[in-house]
Amino acid sequence: MAETSRELVTRGKIDVEGRLVDASNVTLFCKVELDGVTGNVVYKPVSGERPLWDFPDGTLAGREVATAMVSEAAGLGAIPPTVLRDGPFGPGMVQLWIETTEEELVDVRSPESLPEDWRVVLHAHDRDGEPAVLAHADRPGMRELAVLDIVVNNTDRKGGHVLAGADGRIYGVDHGICLHTDPKLRTVLWGWIGEPLTETETGKLRCLREQIDGELGEALSEHLTGFEIRALAERADLLLAEGVFPEPGDDWRAIPWPLF
């Protein structure tokens, strides 16, 4: 099934059906068809990207693809099949559309209504002055996304970028501003600060680190600068050496806004 999905995303005929208006760059919802098999994809043409002063190199589409390559190479977190290919408006990122459930994985709630197994990220007050918390579910798939975000230096992990798939998996999407050389981690998934990495997570990081010096690093060079690939390796090394989920830095805003 995974290979079928990748073939569909890579070689299928794309027909634009609509635009996702909440996105900051041109993001199109499309039908895709290959040899009688149909599905849906998200298509983000490079021609529709708004330039970002702090991400001057490459393209946002390329960064999305590079993040998916890192995830797939190490088996770390789940990102829908994602490729860089030609489409109706030129080259762009094409990603399989994931059917989701209504399960909330990240939310702002009153402390009393928070499930016991959720992790609190931030204490605040609502517009009426009542206590509220930003929190997220404690699920293995979300932990792995949090580890992935640390390694790829995700600058924009909003709550809406964590999806409860109808297939039972937890997916991460929207990775266009990842993999900068400077520390910029900005995420709603801070619930495991100071906790040790599991053996499984450590093993996947070691696997990733080995591949960065080999075929993965060569493949990433199509989308990233050499400095960015080296920074990726250094973040993996640091996380392996420390062996715990890091704390937010003091030099940048550590939680995205808006949150969702």
Side-chain angles (χ1 to χ4, degrees), residues 1-9 37-39 81 96-97 167 171:
M1 182 63 179
E3 288 301 318
T4 300
S5 296
R6 180 162 293 280
E7 282 294 299
L8 185 64
V9 170
V37 178
T38 62
L96 186 69
W97 177 268
D167 60 0
Y171 291 91

Side-chain angles (χ1 to χ4, degrees), residues 164-176:
D167 60 0
R169 303 185 74 190
I170 294 174
Y171 291 91
V173 297
D174 286 328
H175 300 106

Side-chain angles (χ1 to χ4, degrees), residues 118-243:
W118 276 44
R119 300 294 186 109
V120 174
V121 174
L122 180 69
H123 291 269
H125 291 85
D126 64 20
R127 63 184 62 187
D128 297 321
E130 296 297 323
V133 292
L134 169 65
H136 60 71
D138 186 357
R139 302 268 291 276
M142 295 180 71
R143 269 186 65 113
E144 285 208 356
L145 281 180
V147 175
L148 177 68
D149 285 346
I150 296 165
V151 174
V152 300
N153 199 18
N154 193 345
T155 308
D156 194 36
R157 175 66 76 197
K158 292 182 171 68
H161 299 171
V162 183
L163 308 179
D167 60 0
R169 303 185 74 190
I170 294 174
Y171 291 91
V173 297
D174 286 328
H175 300 106
I177 47 177
C178 292
L179 295 159
H180 201 284
T181 55
D182 299 333
K184 290 176 176 284
L185 181 60
R186 187 176 297 127
T187 175
V188 296
L189 301 180
W190 285 112
W192 299 281
I193 290 175
E195 293 194 9
L197 299 176
T198 66
E199 291 185 9
T200 298
E201 291 160 352
T202 299
K204 291 183 177 184
L205 283 171
R206 290 199 181 103
C207 175
L208 171 63
R209 185 61 188 85
E210 291 174 1
Q211 294 187 70
I212 293 173
D213 288 337
E215 293 183 0
L216 175 61
E218 294 178 7
L220 289 173
S221 66
E222 182 178 343
H223 308 292
L224 305 174
T225 68
F227 289 112
E228 288 168 337
I229 296 171
R230 177 48 45 191
L232 169 66
E234 290 173 352
R235 288 191 296 269
D237 285 339
L238 180 60
L239 188 53
L240 280 167
E242 295 186 342

Side-chain angles (χ1 to χ4, degrees), residues 72-99:
E72 184 176 10
L76 191 60
I79 295 177
T82 307
V83 300
L84 188 67
R85 55 163 290 186
D86 200 25
F89 298 100
M93 188 282 301
V94 179
Q95 184 176 83
L96 186 69
W97 177 268
I98 296 298
E99 297 298 330

